[in-house]
Amino acid sequence: MTAFFAGVNLILLIAIAWQMQRGYSGSLSVFFWPALLFKLMTGVAIGLLYSYYYSSGDTFLYFNDGVTLASLARRDLSSYLQFLWHGDDSFPIWVSLADGQQSRVLFMVKFTSLINLVTHDNYWISSLYFSLVSFAFAWKLVRLISQTFPQVSSPAVIGFLFLPSAVFWSSGLIKESLAMASVFFLSAVVIKVWSKMSLQYWEWIALPFFLWLLWSLKYFYLAVFFPVAASSIVAYVIFNGRLAFLSRSSKMILLTTAVVVVFVSVILMHPNFEPSVFFEVIVTNYNLLHAMSAPDDVIYYHNLQPTIESIALNMPWALISGLFRPFFWEASTVLQLLASLENLVLVVLTIFAVFNLSRYVKSAHRLKLVTLLAYVVLLCIFLALSTPNFGTLSRYRVGFLPYFFLLITIYNPVGMRAARLMKRYSNHLIR
C-alpha cells in the first residue's frame, strides 16, 4: 500500500510539473527541468542532512506532528477540521503534539498534515510537494523578470533557481519553502504593479492568502517586505505615475507622509515591532542563540544593548556578517566550508559591482534598485543581529539572498559574461 501511494504521488508530481512546463515555450524553458530536478534533490537533501548530520531538526518535528493530525483526520474528520480552524489546548490531540505549542510551529504542522493526507504519511514525498510549491513560484517570478527586464534574466535564473544555499534552504519540509513561495509571489505582484500589468483574477484571490501565509510562518520577512514594497510603489506613483505633475516639494511631502503611514502600520502589526520592545527582542534573541552556539559558530558584536546607539554601532558588522560570513578561514565544518565558498563568490561579485556603481546610479531603474537594496540591507541587518548563529543565519538569510545576488550581478561584468554564456547555451539547446 505504501508503494502504491508513493507511485500515485510521483505520477501526480510529474503531471503537475509537466503542466507547468507545457504552458511556456520561451527561452528559459531549457532551464525548467534542470532547475526543478535540482530543487527536488535539495529538498531530499534537507531530510538526509537532518537524518545523518544533525541529531534532530524542525523538519521531522513538523512531519511527526503532521502525522498525528493526519491520523486524527482519518479517525474523526470533524474534530480535525475544528482543530485546523482554531486548534488549542482544549482539544485532546493537543497533548500528543511534540512541538505544536508555538503559533508558527502549529501553523506549519497543520499545513504538513494536509500534505500527509495526500502522501499517506510519506516524509520524502511530502518533502517533494513542499519543494515543488517553492519552485513553482520561483519559476513564476523568474519568467516575469525575464519578460519585464530581459537584460537581467540570466542573473535571475541563477539567483532564484540555481544559487546553492538559496535553493537548498527554501526546499523540503521546512517553513522557508512556503515562506519563500509567498515572497516570490508577492515580488511578482510588485513587479506587475511597477510595470502597469493587470493582475489575473487568481492573483487577486491568492494575494491575501500569501500575505497571511507569510505572516503566519515568517512575519519578520513580511515586516520588511511590506513597507519597502509599499513605499516603492507609492514613490513610483508619485514620481512616474499620475501624480508626476506635482511640484517636487509636494512630491516629497506626499512621499514622506506615505512612508510614515506605512511604517506606523508595520509597528501596529505585531507587538514585537513597538519601538519600546523591538530592540529588546533583538538583544534577547541574540543572547539566547549566542548562549546555545559553539564559540566558532557565532557572530560577536561589540557590547550589544537594546539602545539605538548600540544597535546602530553594530549594524555595519551585522550587514557584513549577514552577507558574507562565515569567511573561508572561519569554516570549521563541512557545511560552513560550503557556505564560505559561496560567500567568497558573493564577495568577488560585490567588489565588481562596487567598481561599476556609476551604472547603478545612472540606471533608468534606480527606484527598483533602491528597493532591492533597502529590502536586502534591512532584512540582513535584522536577521544578523537577532540570529548570530552561522548555521541558523544561513537558513534564515534565504529571505534576501537571491535578491542580493540579483542586485550585485545586474551591471556586473562577471554577471554579464555569465549571461552571454547562458544565452548561448539556451540558444544551442533550442536549435
Side-chain angles (χ1 to χ4, degrees):
M1 185 62 73
T2 301
F4 171 78
F5 277 102
V8 169
N9 277 281
L10 287 174
I11 292 173
L12 180 58
L13 285 164
I14 294 173
I16 295 172
W18 186 267
Q19 184 64 28
M20 288 170 53
Q21 191 274 342
R22 191 174 68 89
Y24 178 72
S25 58
S27 60
L28 300 183
S29 59
V30 296
F31 300 109
F32 178 86
W33 291 108
L36 176 59
L37 181 61
F38 183 44
K39 189 73 170 181
L40 298 179
M41 289 174 59
T42 55
V44 172
I46 286 284
L48 295 174
L49 176 71
Y50 283 103
S51 294
Y52 298 104
Y53 190 84
Y54 295 127
S55 57
S56 63
D58 292 345
T59 182
F60 291 112
L61 294 175
Y62 301 148
F63 174 73
N64 291 330
D65 280 354
V67 169
T68 301
L69 285 185
S71 299
L72 173 65
R74 298 184 185 102
R75 298 193 314 269
D76 186 350
L77 182 59
S78 176
S79 296
Y80 172 73
L81 294 176
Q82 292 179 41
F83 188 83
L84 287 185
W85 183 251
H86 56 85
D88 54 31
D89 56 6
S90 65
F91 288 79
I93 194 71
W94 182 266
V95 296
S96 301
L97 301 178
D99 196 39
Q101 284 68 44
Q102 298 181 24
S103 60
R104 282 179 289 165
V105 173
L106 183 60
F107 182 91
M108 184 65 179
V109 167
K110 290 177 179 179
F111 201 98
T112 303
S113 71
L114 293 171
I115 303 299
N116 284 351
L117 288 173
V118 176
T119 65
H120 202 63
D121 299 332
N122 186 313
Y123 171 85
W124 303 105
I125 302 297
S126 294
S127 173
L128 294 180
Y129 275 107
F130 277 87
S131 297
L132 182 63
V133 169
S134 181
F135 171 81
F137 289 97
W139 176 248
K140 171 184 171 64
L141 178 59
V142 169
R143 283 178 51 188
L144 182 60
I145 292 174
S146 178
Q147 174 188 346
T148 313
F149 312 108
Q151 67 274 21
V152 298
S153 60
S154 296
V157 167
I158 298 173
F160 290 96
L161 301 180
F162 291 104
L163 188 62
S165 64
V167 175
F168 183 82
W169 290 116
S170 61
S171 304
L173 208 163
I174 55 178
K175 287 188 289 188
E176 285 75 14
S177 292
L178 299 181
M180 290 311 299
S182 302
V183 174
F184 295 148
F185 172 82
L186 296 175
S187 299
V189 169
V190 172
I191 291 175
K192 283 195 168 187
V193 173
W194 274 340
S195 306
K196 299 180 181 179
M197 301 169 63
S198 299
L199 297 182
Q200 300 177 34
Y201 74 91
W202 74 268
E203 291 174 318
W204 283 110
I205 297 173
L207 181 57
F209 170 77
F210 280 106
L211 287 170
W212 167 70
L213 184 64
L214 185 57
W215 179 256
S216 300
L217 292 171
K218 295 283 183 179
Y219 70 89
F220 42 88
Y221 283 5
L222 185 59
V224 175
F225 184 93
F226 173 74
V228 171
S231 298
S232 70
I233 290 173
V234 170
Y236 181 82
V237 170
I238 293 174
F239 290 98
N240 301 296
R242 296 181 179 179
L243 299 178
F245 67 90
L246 294 174
S247 66
R248 185 172 185 83
S249 58
S250 298
K251 291 176 182 177
M252 294 306 299
I253 292 173
L254 188 57
L255 177 60
T256 302
T257 302
V259 170
V260 170
V261 171
V262 168
F263 275 88
V264 169
S265 301
V266 171
I267 290 173
L268 296 175
M269 287 168 63
H270 197 283
N272 284 351
F273 299 141
E274 294 181 12
S276 59
V277 177
F278 183 63
F279 293 152
E280 287 282 357
V281 171
I282 289 179
V283 175
T284 298
N285 287 342
Y286 168 79
N287 290 331
L288 287 174
L289 274 174
H290 196 283
M292 297 168 57
S293 303
D296 58 349
D297 193 29
V298 70
I299 303 170
Y300 292 89
Y301 294 111
H302 176 70
N303 190 30
L304 187 63
Q305 299 295 324
T307 64
I308 295 178
E309 296 80 7
S310 178
I311 296 294
L313 178 65
N314 286 284
M315 276 184 176
W317 187 234
L319 181 62
I320 293 172
S321 297
L323 294 177
F324 307 121
R325 295 182 70 198
F327 298 125
F328 182 77
W329 59 86
E330 293 178 312
S332 58
T333 66
V334 174
L335 291 179
Q336 287 185 1
L337 177 61
L338 293 175
S340 69
L341 291 175
E342 183 180 87
N343 289 338
L344 180 60
V345 173
L346 294 177
V347 169
V348 173
L349 290 174
T350 302
I351 292 173
F352 276 100
V354 170
F355 279 116
N356 286 272
L357 189 60
S358 61
R359 300 193 64 179
Y360 289 83
V361 175
K362 297 176 183 177
S363 172
H365 301 290
R366 286 190 300 272
L367 178 58
K368 300 175 182 66
L369 295 174
V370 170
T371 300
L372 268 179
L373 180 64
Y375 174 72
V376 169
V377 169
L378 291 175
L379 185 56
C380 177
I381 289 175
F382 171 76
L383 291 177
L385 285 173
S386 59
T387 314
N389 179 275
F390 285 137
T392 307
L393 183 59
S394 293
R395 173 174 167 178
Y396 284 8
R397 75 176 190 158
V398 69
F400 65 80
L401 190 59
Y403 297 89
F404 176 58
F405 182 86
L406 184 65
L407 181 65
I408 61 177
T409 52
I410 289 176
Y411 296 118
N412 195 311
V414 177
M416 289 188 285
R417 174 63 177 169
R420 288 193 293 269
L421 291 175
M422 288 181 65
K423 186 174 182 179
R424 188 182 308 166
Y425 168 76
S426 61
N427 290 339
H428 175 73
L429 290 181
I430 290 174
R431 289 199 302 268

